[in-house]
């Protein structure tokens, strides 16, 4: 199937493009635009197995949509044995999100993306806890985070009157004797990553030498002696297969990345496994309830719950309409993609990763039990979890929908045999000719930083040239600097990006 851009440019798909991107999600879209801006003469072929762009993890209904900046996600700030709060991961994520905003702002400013409101909105980010121990933790967390300017302006309150103004639905019907606390960051955002991805790919395919192929699945890939890669691609509509050659492949296929990485047979990909986690949302269908909530409110995860299952009550803007979601309720499936196969997990087990996968599985039996219990939850049990956030919630106001499918990374470990990682992992060949992205949250929000890391690994020579450096500084003004260490620069780029992206301007609360 030929894409519209092929006809527009009067060009045929290339049999030997410079770049092949597998998967039409936020990661491939980000990398494709970066590379095309850095080197406009590059030819790029994009292959997507579905009949749509951003149909899996990047889709708005499959993605939490939180501009992950560590403002509200408590799992990014664990409490250490001595009672202090670890904030290094939170600072790294907050920095990465600012970098993403800079890149998106450049694209809006240059007219590559027409309307920032189509994908990003200002929505306060809040953490909400109950119980004396959790309140004490949240108080320490706020003090620790405010020591860095990335989190300047984070408000903290235990006052029920203040909390009732911030989150009236959450406080309504709550026991007045219950000890509660919340933090609030006005700088928070909600993002429709599906809409953003479509904007990026639409812009990309308007450029000469870029072709998008929907309903096309990469079935095999093999490196030749000259270093080039030979791919076999199947058109799922016609059943026809074709071969093409390329100097560089990026595998950004979400849960489908691991099987393709295994097929590449690169040494760096040996020993990786995947642990699939599914999800479900409760979506509010009562407009009056939806209108009374205007924040992303994150709580603490249950014991044994994976980080992506941290409960949150989310105000969303999807396709121009306000929505309210609660969840996600985790689950277990052997599929690696929402529209994948039940055989994905068993087929991913190879001789080189069976030991890490068994070791990680034995180490995480409580997690497996938790996921199975989640699958077996009754509507009454789901309502009980919701009522911990919304005491007056009624089941008739909510309906259950399936969310996205995630695959957590299992890595070899010299001591434990294998460990389960909750995050993202870039795996690249020593010669820089192929790279794959494995893992999940907070991937989409930090896509630009992840792709900059990939450029440093796979395009090191080009990245060292003045042309690429100058262009990157145009696209990302803070490129090469750490915003966590530079308060003035952080304030400057935030002011710029918030203006371009039409985000809410807030006064800083001391």
């Amino acid at each position: 199937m030929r894409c519209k851009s092929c006809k527009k440019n009067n060009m045929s798909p290339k049999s030997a493009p410079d770049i092949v991107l597998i998967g039409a999600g936020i990661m491939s879209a980000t990398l494709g635009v970066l590379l095309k801006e850095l080197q406009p003469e590059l030819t790029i072929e994009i292959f997507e197995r579905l009949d749509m762009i951003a149909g899996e993890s990047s889709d708005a209904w499959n993605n939490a949509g939180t501009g992950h900046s560590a403002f509200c996600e408590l799992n990014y700030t664990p409490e250490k044995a001595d009672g202090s709060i670890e904030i290094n991961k939170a600072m790294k994520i907050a920095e990465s999100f600012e970098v993403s905003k800079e890149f998106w702002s450049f694209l809006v400013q240059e007219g590559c993306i027409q309307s920032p409101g189509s994908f990003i909105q200002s929505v306060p980010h809040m953490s909400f806890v109950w119980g004396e121990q959790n309140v004490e933790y949240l108080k320490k967390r706020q003090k620790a985070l405010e020591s860095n300017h990335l989190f300047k302006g984070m408000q903290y309150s235990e006052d029920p009157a203040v909390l009732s103004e911030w989150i009236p639905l959450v406080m309504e019907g709550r026991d007045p004797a219950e000890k509660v606390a919340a933090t609030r960051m006005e700088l928070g955002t909600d993002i429709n990553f599906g809409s953003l991805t479509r904007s990026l790919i639409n812009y990309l395919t308007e450029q000469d030498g870029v072709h998008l192929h929907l309903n096309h699945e990469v079935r095999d890939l093999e490196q030749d002696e000259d270093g080039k890669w030979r791919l076999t691609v199947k058109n799922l509509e016609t059943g026809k297969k074709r071969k093409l050659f390329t100097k560089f492949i990026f595998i950004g296929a979400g849960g489908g990345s691991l099987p393709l990485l295994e097929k590449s047979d690169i040494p760096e990909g040996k020993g990786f496994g995947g642990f699939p986690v599914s999800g479900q949302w409760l979506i509010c269908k009562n407009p009056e309830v939806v209108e009374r909530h205007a924040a992303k409110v994150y709580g603490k995860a249950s014991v044994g719950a994976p980080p992506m299952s941290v409960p949150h009550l989310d105000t969303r803007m999807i396709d121009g309409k306000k929505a309210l979601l609660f969840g996600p309720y985790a689950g277990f499936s052997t599929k690696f993609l929402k529209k994948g196969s039940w055989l994905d997990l068993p087929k991913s087990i190879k001789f080189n990763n069976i030991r890490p996968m068994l070791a990680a599985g034995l180490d995480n039996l409580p997690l497996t039990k938790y996921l199975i219990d989640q699958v077996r939850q009754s509507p009454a049990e789901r309502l009980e979890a919701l009522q911990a956030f919304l005491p007056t919630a009624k089941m008739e106001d909510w309906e259950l929908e399936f969310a996205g499918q995630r695959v957590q990374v299992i890595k070899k470990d010299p001591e434990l045999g294998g460990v389960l990682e909750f995050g993202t992992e870039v795996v690249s060949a020593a010669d820089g000719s192929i790279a794959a992205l494995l893992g999940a949250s907070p991937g989409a929000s930090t896509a630009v930083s992840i792709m900059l890391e990939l450029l440093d690994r796979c395009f090191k020579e080009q990245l060292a040239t003045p042309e690429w450096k100058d262009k990157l500084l145009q696209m990302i003004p803070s490129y090469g600097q750490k915003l966590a260490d530079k308060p003035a620069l952080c304030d400057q780029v935030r002011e710029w990006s918030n203006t371009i992206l039409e985000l809410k301007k807030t006064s800083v609360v001391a």
Side-chain angles (χ1 to χ4, degrees), residues 11-28:
M11 297 172 66
S12 297
K14 297 287 183 182
S15 59
D18 298 313
I19 309 290
V20 167
L21 305 176
I22 304 175
I26 186 63
M27 294 297 173
S28 292

Side-chain angles (χ1 to χ4, degrees), residues 79 158 240 272 324 377 389 419 471 506:
E79 186 171 7
E158 300 174 22
K240 290 183 179 179
F272 280 95
L324 183 60
Q377 273 190 328
F389 272 77
V419 292
K471 185 63 179 182
T506 58

